Amino acid sequence: MHQEETRPGEGLSWIESANFGRAVEYATGSLLAETGIAFAMSENAKDELINIYFTHVQPTYPMFCRKSFEHDLAERRIPDMLLNAMFAISSRFIPNSKVQVLLGKSCTMPWNSFARLAERQQRDQEDRNAPILLNDVKTAALMTLYEYTNFPGRRAWMMVGIVVRMAVAIGLHHVDYGEQRLSLSDLELEEHRFVWWTVWKLDSAINTLTGAPFGLENDSIRTALVSISVADFTAGNSTKSTRHFFSTDSERSWKSAQHLFNTDTEDGMNMYLFAVCHLRRVSAFRQLLCANPTPQLARHFVVLRNTLSCMRLALPVWYFEPARQSMLETPNKHRLRLETLLILYISQIHVSLPGTNTGLEDLIKDGGLSNWQACISMGEDIAAIFHHWKPGYFAGADPMISTIIWFTTLILTIHSMSVYGRYEDVPDVGVVNALDLLSLALNNFAQHWQISRLLSGNNHAPGPM
């Protein structure tokens, strides 16, 4: 019997059922395209997955004001495919002992089922050639995050290119360019900014890992940095935009860091975004130099090597001390500062690594061995941060940090096998200690993110306990 097509979030989009597995099997059948049915689960299960999402995912990839989200959910204005994408990620944080209790005895890997449903609903949306909406960008961003953290391969790389173009198509990269969007409130404008910077962070993480060009040059972005903390945004608090932008002067970006530090949000988010921006610049220049080394590019690359040293002098001394500043920092702010330091330090490794292009080495005119030793020193600094990393930080940290740990481990392992990493045929104890810290840190990340399990070489590492 033919059923009328319903819009996502309307009509029969939620059906209560105790058997999640059977409901998913039903929903992925031929009726999905006709009815828009996503999956069937109890209200308790939905509430639990939403709470998990806002606890573990929202702090790192903030795209939702929770009050607005819950109001729209109650009014059935949240598309099913967006909920499926959210649950594909948040269900990975369910303790193993609770998965079947919450979602039914036949359910063992709910994240795969949620992701499969979201993908199918995305294809249906694309087939209708409907206009791109903000919720479509959020869905695409979450599905890219799911794929990237599930396996950071070709598929994730292709998906991030698509979500950047979707964001550009609706102007998220130009929120603060030209005429003001009078139809949007301050909170809605800030939501657009948070969504843009989430997409930009995904583009940064995936293309830095793959060594590929980024989806959009930073100079083309006219969306201001965020003006409120993630916690305030999630709670629905808003203010007029401070209209701070990244400086286009990449040679003296430390001046931008100094300005952002003095005007940053309560949680330090804009300093974190600055560190990611610096990593993008280093990666982009390294790609250009490998492809076509020129004296001008080489000069700029050498200037980038100086950025971290300039920042150490431009910012307060305590900022580069990994210990928590108890009078100044909440645990959340401390975690984000440590993540910022990790990104700055891995950027320094990237900018110091000896090149494989002999023409580049001739242009830069410095010693490969001294640069390698600088990389090792910075790798030990990265490991030392985990002396001050609290166990509770792993669940809320950006999964990109696990790729930083992995890359640093590779550098230090190679060094430990060389003659420069041994004393009297015994491995350098400092490097050995650093490798132990990094291994333990990656294993802790593996309790929450599949990408960490892959990078640690232990795909069977336990999930949340």
Side-chain angles (χ1 to χ4, degrees), residues 111-160:
W111 43 87
N112 286 339
S113 300
F114 288 126
R116 190 165 72 248
L117 287 165
E119 287 170 0
R120 184 160 181 176
Q121 290 167 321
Q122 277 185 301
R123 287 196 299 270
D124 292 342
Q125 186 92 332
E126 291 165 5
D127 289 345
R128 289 196 294 269
N129 207 24
I132 299 172
L133 304 176
L134 185 63
N135 278 334
D136 298 329
V137 177
K138 291 179 179 181
T139 301
L142 290 173
M143 290 307 297
T144 302
L145 174 62
Y146 173 83
E147 191 63 35
Y148 160 60
T149 55
N150 193 52
F151 183 78
R154 170 183 170 179
R155 183 173 164 83
W157 182 68
M158 296 292 287
M159 289 173 71
V160 79

Side-chain angles (χ1 to χ4, degrees), residues 262-387:
N262 291 324
T263 59
D264 207 352
T265 57
E266 180 63 29
D267 55 4
M269 174 58 76
N270 287 333
M271 281 297 294
Y272 179 89
L273 294 177
F274 168 85
V276 176
C277 181
H278 179 57
L279 179 60
R280 283 172 71 106
R281 281 176 175 150
V282 168
S283 179
F285 268 96
R286 195 169 187 93
Q287 291 172 44
L288 289 171
L289 278 167
C290 288
N292 184 28
T294 66
Q296 184 180 5
L297 285 173
R299 175 191 170 279
H300 202 126
F301 196 67
V302 172
V303 170
L304 284 174
R305 285 182 176 173
N306 207 36
T307 299
L308 183 60
S309 296
C310 289
M311 285 183 64
R312 288 186 187 276
L313 296 174
L315 298 181
V317 174
W318 65 262
Y319 191 83
F320 290 91
E321 296 294 333
R324 179 184 168 194
Q325 308 297 308
S326 57
M327 298 298 292
L328 300 172
E329 292 184 304
T330 62
N332 238 14
K333 187 173 183 179
H334 180 229
R335 174 188 56 77
L336 199 58
R337 182 169 66 86
L338 293 185
E339 290 187 54
T340 302
L341 293 180
L342 288 168
I343 295 170
L344 289 172
Y345 291 171
I346 200 65
S347 301
Q348 195 66 19
I349 288 180
H350 276 290
V351 85
S352 301
L353 275 174
T356 57
N357 189 321
T358 55
L360 172 60
E361 292 302 310
D362 291 341
L363 285 172
I364 295 179
K365 293 181 171 34
D366 59 5
L369 180 58
S370 63
N371 287 334
W372 177 254
Q373 290 171 334
C375 291
I376 300 309
S377 176
M378 195 56 61
E380 290 179 317
D381 287 344
I382 285 175
I385 285 177
F386 290 97
H387 284 297

Side-chain angles (χ1 to χ4, degrees), residues 411-432:
I411 296 294
L412 294 180
T413 300
I414 292 171
H415 183 71
S416 69
M417 294 187 294
S418 72
V419 295
Y420 302 107
R422 307 178 75 85
Y423 295 100
E424 297 180 353
D425 207 33
V426 177
D428 182 343
V429 66
V431 172
V432 171

Side-chain angles (χ1 to χ4, degrees), residues 156-181:
W157 182 68
M158 296 292 287
M159 289 173 71
V160 79
I162 293 172
V163 71
V164 168
R165 284 157 180 77
M166 290 175 68
V168 167
I170 63 172
L172 291 184
H173 66 312
H174 280 173
V175 171
D176 298 286
Y177 177 77
E179 295 183 5
Q180 291 187 336
R181 307 184 182 197

